[in-house]
Amino acid sequence: MGRSVLGVVCTVLAVIASLVSGFGNLALEISLPGTDDLQPSAGAVLGWLLGVGASVLLVWRWRWPLVVTGVAVVPPLLLVADSLPALIALAALATRFTGWWRWSAAALVFAATGLAVWRDVSRYPDASLAEAWVSTGTTVGKLIGVVVTAAVYTAVPLTLGIVRHNVTEKRRRLAEEAALRDQVARREEQARIAREMHDVLGHRLSLLSLQAGALEVTATTAPEAAEAAKTVRTTARQSLDDLRQVIGVLRGSGFPDRAAGGAAEPPQPTLADIPDLITGARQAGLAVNVTILLDQASAAPAPLATAAYRILQEALTNVLRHAPGAPAEVLVRGGPGAGLSVEVVNPLPPHPVPSPGSGTGLTGVNERISLLGGTLSAGPFDERTFALRAWLPWVAPAP
């Protein structure tokens, strides 16, 4: 806020100073020494009017420094006018531009300032301001004084612009370095999390899969126990695959545990895998009534298909956790141009059921949907029913 106010104040002062300087230059140009008479000329009046326009344009010198500087040098170069607007604009241009643009603009402003000073010292002695420090006794002395004066006048805004540009660049580099350090810290933290997940969860899921396999072999007299053990083993194996994918994302290098020439990266789930997901949910004890109405399901983009699968997976998992024993109504429909809708509805249990989950499942679903530009609504829509409804855009292919 303070910088904004300071900028406005500086701009107002710059415009006022340019207008006053231009009016004073006009007054000296058209006045006759020793009299109160005025002798206006077309060049002086036109130059003053253009100088007024250039002074007003200083308001936009930071937005369009090239344009403002180009306009401001025209009156002193071609007509009788003051060069203060061009000098002020040069400071903004030197802040924004470097190299050829900066030095070309400085040369033009120097030439415009030199002409303005030359015209000033060429007036009557009483009507000249620069005569106080410029020798007018000889032409060579006057030329040297004009060049030195114009050089000093030009060097001041040029130096201010260069200094401000360097300060801005330094701040930008410091900000980039801070962002890079933050990124490195995030990568290190991701790598640490990946190691912890691999060492802890991977080990436990592997043990669970081995134990379930052993139980499946020994439970020959109890078919239901063998089927349950098979489901546990399959789920554990799938969880290991998902864990490796998550670790690969955290480490930012795909699947780092896969050696060269080893197993291929497991494919991401698609819409065609939804029936298997429903089957797994039923084997886990969830009564599911499914309606799937999809047009050109095989042509669905991979991110869309994976997102729909994960959304449905999370919704079914939530039903198993929070409403065990309750049936679920599943509706998956859509197609190119119409979008893809995933809806899961289940009755709420009479009493809340404690769940060991992390409580961030719906947050992750919402983030996934937001990345694809979809919408999500999840919550009870009456006293006895919970519904999750997600919609994802499905762009129709170009004809």
Side-chain angles (χ1 to χ4, degrees):
M1 181 64 180
R3 291 181 61 87
S4 299
V5 173
L6 180 61
V8 172
V9 171
C10 291
T11 297
V12 171
L13 292 177
V15 173
I16 293 175
S18 298
L19 292 174
V20 172
S21 179
F23 183 78
N25 182 77
L26 175 66
L28 293 174
E29 183 68 26
I30 65 176
S31 62
L32 293 177
T35 67
D36 293 335
D37 297 334
L38 300 177
Q39 190 178 5
S41 63
V45 175
L46 182 58
W48 174 70
L49 292 175
L50 293 178
V52 171
S55 300
V56 175
L57 283 178
L58 291 177
V59 175
W60 297 278
R61 69 191 186 280
W62 296 109
R63 183 177 300 178
W64 304 304
L66 283 174
V67 175
V68 175
T69 305
V71 172
V73 298
V74 171
L77 281 177
L78 303 181
L79 300 168
V80 179
D82 185 59
S83 64
L84 183 59
L87 292 170
I88 296 175
L90 177 63
L93 187 144
T95 303
R96 291 278 301 277
F97 293 90
T98 60
W100 187 87
W101 285 109
R102 175 188 287 172
W103 299 112
S104 297
L108 284 176
V109 174
F110 169 76
T113 303
L115 287 175
V117 176
W118 179 269
R119 283 191 294 265
D120 181 75
V121 299
S122 298
R123 298 191 188 105
Y124 295 105
D126 295 338
S128 174
L129 296 177
E131 189 186 20
W133 62 86
V134 175
S135 174
T136 58
T138 62
T139 303
V140 175
K142 184 168 68 172
L143 182 61
I144 293 175
V146 168
V147 171
V148 171
T149 301
V152 172
Y153 283 176
T154 306
V156 172
L158 181 62
T159 303
L160 290 176
I162 293 175
V163 170
R164 182 164 184 172
H165 173 80
N166 292 338
V167 171
T168 303
E169 284 297 306
K170 183 178 180 179
R171 290 175 178 172
R172 183 184 61 80
R173 287 194 298 268
L174 290 176
E176 290 179 353
E177 292 174 0
L180 182 60
R181 288 194 298 268
D182 182 68
Q183 183 178 2
V184 171
R186 289 176 181 270
R187 290 291 180 87
E188 293 176 351
E189 181 66 14
Q190 288 176 349
R192 186 190 66 80
I193 295 173
R195 288 193 299 269
E196 293 293 329
M197 292 178 65
H198 181 271
D199 295 342
V200 178
L201 294 180
H203 174 70
R204 292 181 179 178
L205 287 174
S206 298
L207 290 179
L208 177 62
S209 180
L210 291 174
Q211 292 171 357
L215 179 61
E216 183 181 1
V217 172
T218 57
T220 55
T221 58
E224 294 181 356
E227 185 65 24
K230 180 180 179 181
T231 301
V232 171
R233 180 173 57 84
T234 302
T235 303
R237 186 177 66 251
Q238 293 174 347
S239 298
L240 279 171
D241 292 338
D242 293 340
L243 177 62
R244 293 180 66 246
Q245 294 182 36
V246 173
I247 291 175
V249 172
L250 286 174
R251 288 179 174 172
S253 57
F255 288 80
D257 298 333
R258 184 177 70 251
E265 175 181 330
Q268 292 292 323
T270 65
L271 297 179
D273 297 315
I274 290 180
D276 294 336
L277 177 62
I278 299 299
T279 300
R282 286 171 174 165
Q283 291 175 350
L286 178 62
V288 186
N289 184 21
V290 185
T291 302
I292 299 178
L293 302 172
L294 294 174
D295 181 21
Q296 303 179 29
S298 60
L304 172 69
T306 301
Y309 181 94
R310 296 302 185 194
I311 293 168
L312 183 57
Q313 182 182 48
E314 179 63 28
L316 295 177
T317 301
N318 284 341
V319 176
L320 285 169
R321 286 178 177 174
H322 303 289
E329 294 286 336
V330 175
L331 173 61
V332 182
R333 61 181 177 182
L340 179 63
S341 298
V342 178
E343 181 177 327
V344 179
V345 181
N346 63 274
L348 292 171
H351 304 287
V353 178
S355 171
S358 62
T360 60
L362 287 180
T363 301
V365 168
N366 189 35
E367 292 175 352
R368 185 186 294 271
I369 293 173
S370 299
L371 288 175
L372 295 177
T375 59
L376 171 70
S377 64
F381 64 89
D382 58 32
E383 295 181 356
R384 297 180 300 276
T385 308
F386 185 93
L388 182 146
R389 297 184 177 91
W391 178 86
L392 299 170
W394 187 345
V395 180

